[in-house]
Amino acid sequence: MKLQDALFNWLQIRMVADARPDDRAAVDTVQFFATILQEDHGMTEFDIVTVDDTMVHIKYVIDGKAKKQMVPRENAEQLLHDINSNPKYNE
């Protein structure tokens, strides 16, 4: 899986897990993507540092170099919106 895809997938599911802390599947999936980021891409640190009106800011470290990625907030929150709008996941 490409780095940008893994980071985006981690971000989306992390936002779901943060909003739905009792959702065990979301929490487990965050760990799954965290493992991919660490083992396949050599990330040693990564976290959401800021969520503003339009963007989500992620800082991460690869090969000892700090980097920052910004993702449009609407894109980052899409999975959460999809889950919340599906009654099957909200019983």
Side-chain angles (χ1 to χ4, degrees), residues 12-25:
Q12 280 198 316
I13 198 65
R14 166 73 189 276
M15 295 189 89
V16 170
D18 287 351
R20 301 168 55 100
D22 294 332
D23 185 336
R24 188 77 220 153

PDB file of all heavy atoms in Angstrom, residues 12-25:
ATOM      1  N   GLN A  12      -8.667   8.597   8.390  1.00  0.00           N
ATOM      2  CA  GLN A  12     -10.126   8.441   8.385  1.00  0.00           C
ATOM      3  C   GLN A  12     -10.600   7.541   9.524  1.00  0.00           C
ATOM      4  O   GLN A  12     -11.526   7.893  10.246  1.00  0.00           O
ATOM      5  CB  GLN A  12     -10.609   7.869   7.058  1.00  0.00           C
ATOM      6  CG  GLN A  12     -10.702   8.878   5.961  1.00  0.00           C
ATOM      7  CD  GLN A  12     -11.575   8.370   4.829  1.00  0.00           C
ATOM      8  OE1 GLN A  12     -11.472   7.221   4.401  1.00  0.00           O
ATOM      9  NE2 GLN A  12     -12.457   9.230   4.355  1.00  0.00           N
ATOM     10  N   ILE A  13      -9.965   6.405   9.697  1.00  0.00           N
ATOM     11  CA  ILE A  13     -10.420   5.484  10.740  1.00  0.00           C
ATOM     12  C   ILE A  13     -10.067   6.013  12.123  1.00  0.00           C
ATOM     13  O   ILE A  13     -10.790   5.771  13.094  1.00  0.00           O
ATOM     14  CB  ILE A  13      -9.914   4.040  10.501  1.00  0.00           C
ATOM     15  CG1 ILE A  13     -10.739   3.040  11.320  1.00  0.00           C
ATOM     16  CG2 ILE A  13      -8.443   3.916  10.791  1.00  0.00           C
ATOM     17  CD1 ILE A  13     -12.188   2.932  10.944  1.00  0.00           C
ATOM     18  N   ARG A  14      -9.001   6.768  12.232  1.00  0.00           N
ATOM     19  CA  ARG A  14      -8.653   7.396  13.516  1.00  0.00           C
ATOM     20  C   ARG A  14      -9.742   8.399  13.918  1.00  0.00           C
ATOM     21  O   ARG A  14     -10.133   8.470  15.087  1.00  0.00           O
ATOM     22  CB  ARG A  14      -7.289   8.073  13.395  1.00  0.00           C
ATOM     23  CG  ARG A  14      -6.901   9.030  14.483  1.00  0.00           C
ATOM     24  CD  ARG A  14      -6.536   8.334  15.797  1.00  0.00           C
ATOM     25  NE  ARG A  14      -6.397   9.345  16.828  1.00  0.00           N
ATOM     26  CZ  ARG A  14      -5.296  10.052  17.059  1.00  0.00           C
ATOM     27  NH1 ARG A  14      -4.201   9.836  16.358  1.00  0.00           N
ATOM     28  NH2 ARG A  14      -5.283  10.968  17.993  1.00  0.00           N
ATOM     29  N   MET A  15     -10.247   9.154  12.953  1.00  0.00           N
ATOM     30  CA  MET A  15     -11.314  10.106  13.251  1.00  0.00           C
ATOM     31  C   MET A  15     -12.586   9.367  13.670  1.00  0.00           C
ATOM     32  O   MET A  15     -13.304   9.816  14.560  1.00  0.00           O
ATOM     33  CB  MET A  15     -11.548  11.039  12.068  1.00  0.00           C
ATOM     34  CG  MET A  15     -10.322  11.921  11.825  1.00  0.00           C
ATOM     35  SD  MET A  15     -10.595  13.210  10.642  1.00  0.00           S
ATOM     36  CE  MET A  15     -11.200  14.483  11.749  1.00  0.00           C
ATOM     37  N   VAL A  16     -12.849   8.222  13.068  1.00  0.00           N
ATOM     38  CA  VAL A  16     -13.994   7.403  13.475  1.00  0.00           C
ATOM     39  C   VAL A  16     -13.786   6.896  14.898  1.00  0.00           C
ATOM     40  O   VAL A  16     -14.673   7.012  15.749  1.00  0.00           O
ATOM     41  CB  VAL A  16     -14.210   6.219  12.502  1.00  0.00           C
ATOM     42  CG1 VAL A  16     -15.244   5.242  13.052  1.00  0.00           C
ATOM     43  CG2 VAL A  16     -14.609   6.721  11.123  1.00  0.00           C
ATOM     44  N   ALA A  17     -12.622   6.348  15.173  1.00  0.00           N
ATOM     45  CA  ALA A  17     -12.343   5.804  16.508  1.00  0.00           C
ATOM     46  C   ALA A  17     -12.383   6.888  17.579  1.00  0.00           C
ATOM     47  O   ALA A  17     -12.867   6.650  18.691  1.00  0.00           O
ATOM     48  CB  ALA A  17     -10.990   5.093  16.513  1.00  0.00           C
ATOM     49  N   ASP A  18     -11.898   8.076  17.259  1.00  0.00           N
ATOM     50  CA  ASP A  18     -11.947   9.175  18.221  1.00  0.00           C
ATOM     51  C   ASP A  18     -13.389   9.586  18.527  1.00  0.00           C
ATOM     52  O   ASP A  18     -13.727   9.891  19.664  1.00  0.00           O
ATOM     53  CB  ASP A  18     -11.165  10.390  17.709  1.00  0.00           C
ATOM     54  CG  ASP A  18      -9.662  10.194  17.757  1.00  0.00           C
ATOM     55  OD1 ASP A  18      -9.186   9.185  18.333  1.00  0.00           O
ATOM     56  OD2 ASP A  18      -8.946  11.057  17.195  1.00  0.00           O
ATOM     57  N   ALA A  19     -14.231   9.585  17.508  1.00  0.00           N
ATOM     58  CA  ALA A  19     -15.633   9.982  17.682  1.00  0.00           C
ATOM     59  C   ALA A  19     -16.485   8.858  18.272  1.00  0.00           C
ATOM     60  O   ALA A  19     -17.525   9.129  18.866  1.00  0.00           O
ATOM     61  CB  ALA A  19     -16.219  10.423  16.340  1.00  0.00           C
ATOM     62  N   ARG A  20     -16.034   7.612  18.097  1.00  0.00           N
ATOM     63  CA  ARG A  20     -16.806   6.452  18.545  1.00  0.00           C
ATOM     64  C   ARG A  20     -15.902   5.515  19.349  1.00  0.00           C
ATOM     65  O   ARG A  20     -15.568   4.415  18.900  1.00  0.00           O
ATOM     66  CB  ARG A  20     -17.386   5.722  17.330  1.00  0.00           C
ATOM     67  CG  ARG A  20     -18.297   6.588  16.465  1.00  0.00           C
ATOM     68  CD  ARG A  20     -18.608   5.934  15.127  1.00  0.00           C
ATOM     69  NE  ARG A  20     -19.165   4.610  15.248  1.00  0.00           N
ATOM     70  CZ  ARG A  20     -20.468   4.316  15.146  1.00  0.00           C
ATOM     71  NH1 ARG A  20     -21.345   5.265  14.893  1.00  0.00           N
ATOM     72  NH2 ARG A  20     -20.891   3.074  15.261  1.00  0.00           N
ATOM     73  N   PRO A  21     -15.477   5.937  20.531  1.00  0.00           N
ATOM     74  CA  PRO A  21     -14.487   5.161  21.295  1.00  0.00           C
ATOM     75  C   PRO A  21     -14.941   3.750  21.673  1.00  0.00           C
ATOM     76  O   PRO A  21     -14.096   2.891  21.957  1.00  0.00           O
ATOM     77  CB  PRO A  21     -14.225   6.022  22.529  1.00  0.00           C
ATOM     78  CG  PRO A  21     -15.367   6.957  22.619  1.00  0.00           C
ATOM     79  CD  PRO A  21     -15.884   7.145  21.224  1.00  0.00           C
ATOM     80  N   ASP A  22     -16.238   3.473  21.655  1.00  0.00           N
ATOM     81  CA  ASP A  22     -16.723   2.130  21.964  1.00  0.00           C
ATOM     82  C   ASP A  22     -16.793   1.230  20.737  1.00  0.00           C
ATOM     83  O   ASP A  22     -17.167   0.057  20.848  1.00  0.00           O
ATOM     84  CB  ASP A  22     -18.109   2.215  22.614  1.00  0.00           C
ATOM     85  CG  ASP A  22     -18.054   2.898  23.976  1.00  0.00           C
ATOM     86  OD1 ASP A  22     -17.002   2.826  24.640  1.00  0.00           O
ATOM     87  OD2 ASP A  22     -19.064   3.509  24.360  1.00  0.00           O
ATOM     88  N   ASP A  23     -16.433   1.748  19.587  1.00  0.00           N
ATOM     89  CA  ASP A  23     -16.445   0.989  18.341  1.00  0.00           C
ATOM     90  C   ASP A  23     -15.145   0.188  18.256  1.00  0.00           C
ATOM     91  O   ASP A  23     -14.115   0.670  17.799  1.00  0.00           O
ATOM     92  CB  ASP A  23     -16.593   1.945  17.159  1.00  0.00           C
ATOM     93  CG  ASP A  23     -16.732   1.243  15.820  1.00  0.00           C
ATOM     94  OD1 ASP A  23     -16.278   0.085  15.692  1.00  0.00           O
ATOM     95  OD2 ASP A  23     -17.274   1.875  14.898  1.00  0.00           O
ATOM     96  N   ARG A  24     -15.183  -1.053  18.719  1.00  0.00           N
ATOM     97  CA  ARG A  24     -13.988  -1.899  18.802  1.00  0.00           C
ATOM     98  C   ARG A  24     -13.369  -2.132  17.422  1.00  0.00           C
ATOM     99  O   ARG A  24     -12.151  -2.166  17.275  1.00  0.00           O
ATOM    100  CB  ARG A  24     -14.361  -3.234  19.450  1.00  0.00           C
ATOM    101  CG  ARG A  24     -13.205  -4.103  19.749  1.00  0.00           C
ATOM    102  CD  ARG A  24     -12.492  -3.599  20.995  1.00  0.00           C
ATOM    103  NE  ARG A  24     -11.066  -3.743  20.752  1.00  0.00           N
ATOM    104  CZ  ARG A  24     -10.126  -3.017  21.292  1.00  0.00           C
ATOM    105  NH1 ARG A  24     -10.424  -2.082  22.140  1.00  0.00           N
ATOM    106  NH2 ARG A  24      -8.869  -3.206  21.019  1.00  0.00           N
ATOM    107  N   ALA A  25     -14.199  -2.284  16.405  1.00  0.00           N
ATOM    108  CA  ALA A  25     -13.673  -2.501  15.049  1.00  0.00           C
ATOM    109  C   ALA A  25     -12.857  -1.295  14.582  1.00  0.00           C
ATOM    110  O   ALA A  25     -11.798  -1.459  13.971  1.00  0.00           O
ATOM    111  CB  ALA A  25     -14.810  -2.788  14.077  1.00  0.00           C
TER     112      ALA A  25
END
